[in-house]
Amino acid sequence: MTSIETVSSEDIPSIDNYTEELIAELQLPVAKVSGAVNDEKGEVRALYERANNQNLTSPIIDLFARLLDLRRQDKGCSDDFDISGDELHRLAIKHQQIDEHMVSVGGRLARALPIAGEANSRVEEYLAQKDQVAPSGIEKWEQIQENIGRIKAELKMSDEDWNSFQGQIRNAIDSVATLSKLIDLPEDVLESIARVTKSYRMRLTPYYTSLIMPGVINDPIMLQSVPTGEMIENAGIEIPPVAADHSPARLIDQFYPRVLTIKATNMCAMYCTHCLRLAHIGRRDHMYSKEAYNEALDYIRKNEQVRDVLVTGGDAFVLPNSILRWLLEELDAIEHIKVKRLGTRIPVTAPMRVDAELLDILEESSDKKPIRVVTQINTAQEVTPVSRDAFREISKRTFTVLNQAVLLKGINDSRVKMWKLCETIQEAYVRPYYIFNCSYRNPQFSHFRVPLAVGRDIVESMYGNISGDAIPRYIATAGGKIPLHRSNVVRREGDDYVLRKPWNDEEAEYPDADPEVYAEDLFAFNK
Ligand SMILES: *Cc1c(COP(=O)(O)O)cnc(C)c1O
Ligand code: SF4
């Protein structure tokens, strides 16, 4: 083929192989033209007119798609609908000229659309199930409001009580007697709770209690807040808490050279049934002295390699605003501290705590050095319009809000439940950060543990199917945080690698960087 010198190749777009093949297939005569062709002729001609008259890509795709469909059903080829090969060529070129990225009809129809279709099929099951299997507190809001009305009346709480943190704590549910008035539970279950709460502390805020769905056995909110008999039955040999090995100074835990935690309180608004700090949470709430905080701060001041301080507990938002403000100011004043974190589950268990004063404190400190608020949301049901508002306000005033979920049997141990959790929290201004495997250290909650293979499948299945920044890292805590992701590097082939696509197990060849080029000392501006 010779080209005409005066015409640039841009003026005569070439037809790619996908389109050549497509046009050839459309023109292939059928053995016997079906009588039905007459029925479809009008429809095809109308599609043809639209493809011709409109300066859009989709009418051209629609025409080619319909012709392909008819050809594959052996009803007729393009000529049977009075569309010649030249016409098809002309329309194919028109499509390429309209499309900003010069995508061909063949590429779009034969490649891109089937690939997108295959991708859609990977999320079909999730989309069909997510709102039934894992409803969010936003979707359940009507029922929750009904629960709130009932609980408020039963506990004789005023609106003012309900909407204040102090009111929530004052009216917290810590006895089986009160619980049984708010939730319908069978006698034997109540007995078992009575037995277990002699050894393990129970406390639910009225707000968190309102998230429990009536009549649901093993409701994910109840599982996280009401201790069950298994905690006693499982109580075997407890592996000592890590604190002894990792607490170099008063209130401090340190696993890493540059990040450490201050356990600033032993209190939480609610006590979780899967809490790692089981041993640390006292039978009674008490405040720590400034003296204790100062010893912790002194350790941080003296250790200049530390740059990131995580204020946790218990729950950092249990601290009164005045203490929180003071602690943050002290940290901001330490030159080598560059970033801070606050660990809190209170926006989930008692979102009323997130008041204007607290938000001002957060903003003021975050303006100096970034604050990340690290929370724990384990099920979409914990995200309500109220907690979502709290997270939105926090995210406006700080660097970001991160979520550390715990992988828990019956609560979030399926693809549908975990994908829904990750998407729901992202829609509530929270970024999925970690999924922790439930600890092996405390036999009291071994009934909540989920096998590693299940956890891996859940996390790996997110790649390619939900937004990348909604995918958390899967972590085991064993003297520090150890990632549990399966490697996607399948093997080495010569200088190259073969990688695995997590979403369909397809392999992809991946040429590595040339080691000789990489080893060159002189490059870029010093070459
Ligand atoms: C989780 C944790 C950290 C923070 O770890 P990152 O991986 O930076 O989130 C730091 N210190 C202790 C003791 C921890 O438990
Ligand atoms: S909020 Fe955290 S520290 Fe408090 S009880 Fe729950 S898991 Fe434990």
Side-chain angles (χ1 to χ4, degrees):
M1 208 166 68
T2 54
S3 61
I4 304 159
E5 297 293 341
T6 52
V7 179
S8 81
S9 61
E10 243 176 276
D11 293 328
I12 306 179
S14 58
I15 296 283
D16 66 4
N17 286 344
Y18 298 136
T19 309
E20 292 288 6
E21 277 169 28
L22 174 62
I23 291 177
E25 185 177 353
L26 295 183
Q27 287 187 288
L28 213 64
V30 295
K32 183 172 171 288
V33 178
S34 136
V37 159
N38 285 328
D39 301 342
E40 271 115 15
K41 213 166 198 168
E43 181 206 339
V44 171
R45 292 307 300 177
L47 287 173
Y48 174 77
E49 292 305 325
R50 276 209 293 132
N52 250 337
N53 297 338
Q54 297 185 13
N55 215 34
L56 294 172
T57 56
S58 54
I60 300 174
I61 294 292
D62 291 346
L63 172 68
F64 276 70
R66 189 69 185 117
L67 285 173
L68 187 61
D69 194 30
L70 290 164
R71 179 62 196 78
R72 286 187 177 166
Q73 292 176 49
D74 280 323
K75 287 193 170 170
C77 70
S78 54
D79 281 318
D80 299 322
F81 298 97
D82 303 330
I83 300 172
S84 69
D86 282 353
E87 283 294 276
L88 292 175
H89 260 98
R90 190 179 56 73
L91 287 170
I93 286 168
K94 178 178 172 184
H95 181 278
Q96 252 164 262
Q97 285 172 330
I98 297 171
D99 190 273
E100 282 73 13
H101 300 283
M102 286 174 287
V103 175
S104 68
V105 176
R108 188 154 281 155
L109 200 56
R111 305 283 306 167
L113 286 168
I115 289 172
E118 191 267 329
N120 285 342
S121 71
R122 296 200 305 262
V123 297
E124 244 165 44
E125 199 180 308
Y126 170 65
L127 294 177
Q129 293 182 6
K130 67 185 178 76
D131 296 350
Q132 283 77 46
V133 174
S136 73
I138 295 170
E139 287 147 10
K140 286 282 177 194
W141 187 233
E142 228 172 276
Q143 176 66 56
I144 292 169
Q145 279 176 299
E146 208 180 298
N147 299 346
I148 292 174
R150 191 165 30 81
I151 293 168
K152 251 161 80 177
E154 190 65 55
L155 299 178
K156 302 189 173 60
M157 287 177 76
S158 65
D159 283 344
E160 206 186 333
D161 273 347
W162 186 271
N163 293 323
S164 81
F165 182 64
Q166 287 317 321
Q168 288 286 330
I169 297 298
R170 248 197 333 271
N171 290 281
I173 294 115
D174 56 9
S175 75
V176 191
T178 316
L179 187 73
S180 67
K181 282 189 225 154
L182 307 177
I183 309 166
D184 231 353
L185 290 166
E187 203 50 48
D188 56 329
V189 173
L190 289 173
E191 274 166 27
S192 157
I193 299 170
R195 196 161 48 92
V196 72
T197 47
K198 287 201 183 99
S199 318
Y200 295 104
R201 190 169 181 181
M202 174 175 77
R203 178 161 81 180
L204 294 82
T205 58
Y207 167 83
Y208 198 76
T209 311
S210 76
L211 310 186
I212 297 172
M213 291 299 128
V216 177
I217 303 168
N218 282 345
D219 175 275
I221 303 292
M222 195 154 85
L223 284 176
Q224 292 182 67
S225 52
V226 178
T228 58
E230 285 143 306
M231 289 184 76
I232 294 180
E233 285 140 32
N234 293 343
I237 302 154
E238 195 168 333
I239 300 167
V242 290
D245 301 341
H246 293 282
S247 183
R250 196 168 175 186
L251 300 186
I252 302 267
D253 267 356
Q254 187 169 17
F255 287 145
Y256 311 117
R258 312 210 66 198
V259 192
L260 56 71
T261 64
I262 308 180
K263 290 170 293 177
T265 170
N266 75 333
M267 294 185 261
C268 295
M270 179 196 96
Y271 293 108
C272 309
T273 53
H274 55 273
C275 179
L276 263 188
R277 301 185 196 271
L278 209 62
H280 171 74
I281 284 164
R283 299 296 296 174
R284 289 184 52 240
D285 295 344
H286 62 93
M287 297 286 300
Y288 297 164
S289 63
K290 266 212 172 154
E291 203 172 42
Y293 294 139
N294 267 322
E295 276 197 58
L297 288 165
D298 274 341
Y299 178 83
I300 296 168
R301 289 185 192 109
K302 281 195 208 114
N303 285 276
E304 291 184 12
Q305 80 290 353
V306 177
R307 68 179 279 281
D308 184 1
V309 171
L310 173 44
V311 179
T312 176
D315 194 306
F317 282 6
V318 160
L319 297 173
N321 284 342
S322 58
I323 297 284
L324 208 50
R325 186 197 298 275
W326 174 77
L327 258 181
L328 288 169
E329 279 171 358
E330 291 299 313
L331 290 172
D332 286 329
I334 303 172
E335 199 173 315
H336 56 270
I337 298 306
K338 306 296 185 190
V339 287
K340 299 142 312 189
R341 279 185 254 190
L342 299 175
T344 177
R345 190 153 153 67
I346 278 181
V348 177
T349 56
M352 313 65 194
R353 168 70 181 91
V354 183
D355 55 24
E357 191 186 11
L358 174 61
L359 290 167
D360 286 344
I361 292 168
L362 295 181
E363 181 174 1
E364 200 178 304
S365 175
S366 196
D367 277 353
K368 292 184 197 138
K369 297 171 186 181
I371 290 184
R372 297 95 89 215
V373 169
V374 183
T375 194
Q376 186 194 140
I377 312 171
N378 295 323
T379 162
Q381 202 169 314
E382 287 170 313
V383 180
T384 67
V386 183
S387 56
R388 178 184 172 279
D389 283 355
F391 283 125
R392 187 191 56 228
E393 294 310 308
I394 297 168
S395 82
K396 276 191 203 165
R397 308 290 201 96
T398 60
F399 176 21
T400 186
V401 186
L402 303 169
N403 189 50
Q404 302 187 335
V406 184
L407 180 60
L408 296 165
K409 179 177 165 184
I411 294 169
N412 54 25
D413 59 334
S414 72
R415 287 185 180 193
V416 172
K417 288 176 183 174
M418 193 60 90
W419 291 20
K420 176 74 182 269
L421 170 66
C422 291
E423 292 196 337
T424 305
I425 65 175
Q426 192 188 39
E427 290 159 26
Y429 304 86
V430 177
R431 296 170 195 225
Y433 176 40
Y434 282 150
I435 293 178
F436 289 128
N437 233 24
C438 190
S439 169
Y440 65 92
R441 285 182 166 269
N442 303 77
Q444 295 91 333
F445 38 72
S446 52
H447 56 292
F448 274 136
R449 298 194 76 213
V450 176
L452 216 129
V454 175
R456 272 179 169 178
D457 173 73
I458 290 171
V459 179
E460 290 271 319
S461 68
M462 293 185 196
Y463 283 86
N465 294 326
I466 69 175
S467 302
D469 64 330
I471 303 176
R473 277 173 269 168
Y474 181 38
I475 300 286
T477 40
K481 296 180 175 73
I482 304 172
L484 292 170
H485 284 242
R486 176 166 50 167
S487 169
N488 290 302
V489 180
V490 180
R491 62 180 176 276
R492 199 169 178 138
E493 270 176 13
D495 285 338
D496 300 335
Y497 286 95
V498 175
L499 308 182
R500 190 184 58 85
K501 298 181 183 178
W503 52 89
N504 61 6
D505 280 340
E506 251 175 40
E507 291 187 350
E509 278 172 39
Y510 188 76
D512 201 8
D514 184 328
E516 274 173 37
V517 174
Y518 179 67
E520 286 287 343
D521 281 333
L522 300 180
F523 87 116
F525 296 114
N526 70 6
K527 194 167 180 173

